[in-house]
Amino acid sequence: MDNIFKIDSIDEYNKYFGFETRHPLVTVIDMSRATRNFTPAELTYNYGVYALFLKQTYCGDITYGRMPYDYQEGTVTSFAPGQVVTFKPRHDVKPNALGLLFHPDLIRGTSLGQEIKQYSFFAYSSREALHLSEQEKEIYKDCLDKIRIETERPIDNHSKKLICRNIELLLDYCMRFYERQFITRTVANRDVLTRFEEELDKYFQGNTAAAKGLPSVKLFAEKCFLSPNYFGDLVKKETGRTPQEYIQNKIIALAKEELLGTTKTVNEISYGLGFQYSQHFNRYFKRSTGMTPNEYRRKAATV
């Protein structure tokens, strides 16, 4: 693939755009001050670092995971090591964003390193940028300023701890803003839940489950045009249950209906629900109900 920029170090990124490297593992940048000449050609970024950007203007199209990344002025885009992003700048606009990039080595052995996976917005893909209010933008900028000031000081025994704590503060604020975003999108979220329930019902109608096996969360996330992480967070936020728990409850409910409402054997029921082996179905059912399918059927017959 042409025009690939592998970002393996902070210094590589800074040199590419003409920024000074003040700390080897973290940088705060203002893209409006980049000295590199931008061209309309596409450029693919292969991230080896964590990155957040507050986009202050719409400067081009971003493609992530072969899907368009829906962002606009005043949104935060976020990327993690291992992710690949394609950017196609507009002819007439110079990028204008405030960004933070930090290398995974910076947070190894710190509380942030242990908790980094909780910041699930790093894994989001299409249409999932973080939209900030004016007040939230100021908080974001203030956090960046604190990190920048620390990177401009000579490195000492306190540098790593203070930088990591300020990054953690910024990410905690972003999580708050992200959860607020769920609340303000209640109607859209309910549409997703309705679609999820409809697709779940459809999957177990006819022979789909028997032919394709047990459904995955990823399948329903794709049906709703969302990434699995975002889909999972949305469902949990709205219902208090994970999508996997939703699927499990559906399977158990259908199994109970079949056990009590038909004369099918346990083998026939398990196969129809997508289980390859009836032993797997027996364990699955017992974990949820405390009884095997046959025990459940026998007990119901005596009531």
Side-chain angles (χ1 to χ4, degrees):
M1 187 185 297
D2 296 332
N3 296 327
I4 297 180
F5 177 26
K6 293 186 67 177
I7 310 171
D8 291 325
S9 74
I10 295 301
D11 191 53
E12 286 176 342
Y13 186 89
N14 284 338
K15 285 180 177 177
Y16 187 85
F17 289 107
F19 298 118
E20 180 182 356
T21 298
R22 296 180 177 272
H23 191 290
L25 297 178
V26 58
T27 188
V28 174
I29 54 96
D30 180 349
M31 290 304 295
S32 67
R33 299 182 179 180
T35 59
R36 182 176 180 83
N37 227 358
F38 288 90
T39 67
E42 289 188 5
L43 180 63
T44 296
Y45 297 87
N46 187 334
Y47 281 94
V49 300
Y50 291 95
L52 292 96
F53 299 97
L54 171 59
K55 302 291 187 178
Q56 303 199 94
T57 186
Y58 182 83
C59 52
D61 298 326
I62 297 177
T63 304
Y64 175 34
R66 299 184 179 180
M67 294 290 289
Y69 196 118
D70 179 22
Y71 78 98
Q72 57 195 40
E73 293 182 17
T75 59
V76 172
T77 57
S78 50
F79 309 106
Q83 295 178 349
V84 177
V85 180
T86 299
F87 176 59
K88 185 176 182 180
R90 288 173 52 181
H91 291 261
D92 55 339
V93 178
K94 182 178 180 180
N96 183 9
L98 298 176
L100 167 70
L101 295 93
F102 59 97
H103 196 278
D105 286 350
L106 176 73
I107 62 175
R108 297 194 200 282
T110 68
S111 61
L112 177 56
Q114 295 170 356
E115 301 293 333
I116 191 69
K117 289 185 178 180
Q118 75 169 319
Y119 302 109
S120 47
F121 47 78
F122 275 121
Y124 298 157
S125 52
S126 62
R127 303 176 202 157
E128 296 160 26
L130 176 59
H131 301 257
L132 302 189
S133 68
E134 291 304 315
Q135 184 184 55
E136 289 167 350
K137 291 176 194 175
E138 292 307 312
I139 293 173
Y140 177 95
K141 294 174 184 177
D142 183 61
C143 288
L144 280 194
D145 282 341
K146 288 182 170 63
I147 298 167
R148 177 185 53 76
I149 290 170
E150 193 57 40
T151 63
E152 292 175 352
R153 292 174 55 89
I155 296 176
D156 58 27
N157 292 336
H158 302 282
S159 298
K160 179 175 180 177
K161 181 187 295 185
L162 290 170
I163 290 171
C164 287
R165 283 181 178 174
N166 279 296
I167 292 175
E168 194 166 5
L169 178 63
L170 172 61
L171 299 183
D172 285 341
Y173 271 118
C174 286
M175 280 302 294
R176 169 186 279 180
F177 303 154
Y178 172 67
E179 290 175 2
R180 179 269 306 153
Q181 185 164 294
F182 276 122
I183 295 170
T184 57
R185 294 183 175 185
T186 298
V187 174
N189 292 352
R190 287 296 172 184
D191 288 344
V192 170
L193 289 178
T194 300
R195 179 71 181 272
F196 178 30
E197 291 170 355
E198 289 174 350
E199 292 294 340
L200 192 55
D201 287 337
K202 188 186 302 182
Y203 192 87
F204 287 103
Q205 293 170 356
N207 297 318
T208 303
K212 297 185 177 181
L214 295 173
S216 66
V217 173
K218 183 174 182 290
L219 171 68
F220 295 112
E222 290 174 348
K223 294 283 188 181
C224 296
F225 305 102
L226 298 171
S227 68
N229 279 357
Y230 188 91
F231 177 72
D233 282 353
L234 187 153
V235 173
K236 183 70 181 290
K237 187 74 177 178
E238 289 291 327
T239 69
R241 290 186 291 173
T242 67
Q244 191 59 54
E245 289 170 336
Y246 237 90
I247 295 170
Q248 178 178 320
N249 289 345
K250 180 69 174 181
I251 292 171
I252 295 300
L254 291 173
K256 288 179 177 178
E257 289 178 11
E258 296 277 356
L259 287 166
L260 302 187
T262 73
T263 58
K264 292 180 181 178
T265 68
V266 171
N267 280 347
E268 289 172 331
I269 293 171
S270 65
Y271 178 75
L273 290 173
F275 291 88
Q276 189 173 2
Y277 303 105
S278 61
Q279 298 96 318
H280 182 198
F281 170 62
N282 288 342
R283 291 194 297 271
Y284 191 94
F285 190 88
K286 188 171 184 177
R287 278 199 305 270
S288 179
T289 66
M291 295 177 281
T292 66
N294 279 327
E295 288 170 344
Y296 178 82
R297 180 175 260 171
R298 284 196 298 269
K299 182 178 180 180
T302 62
V303 176

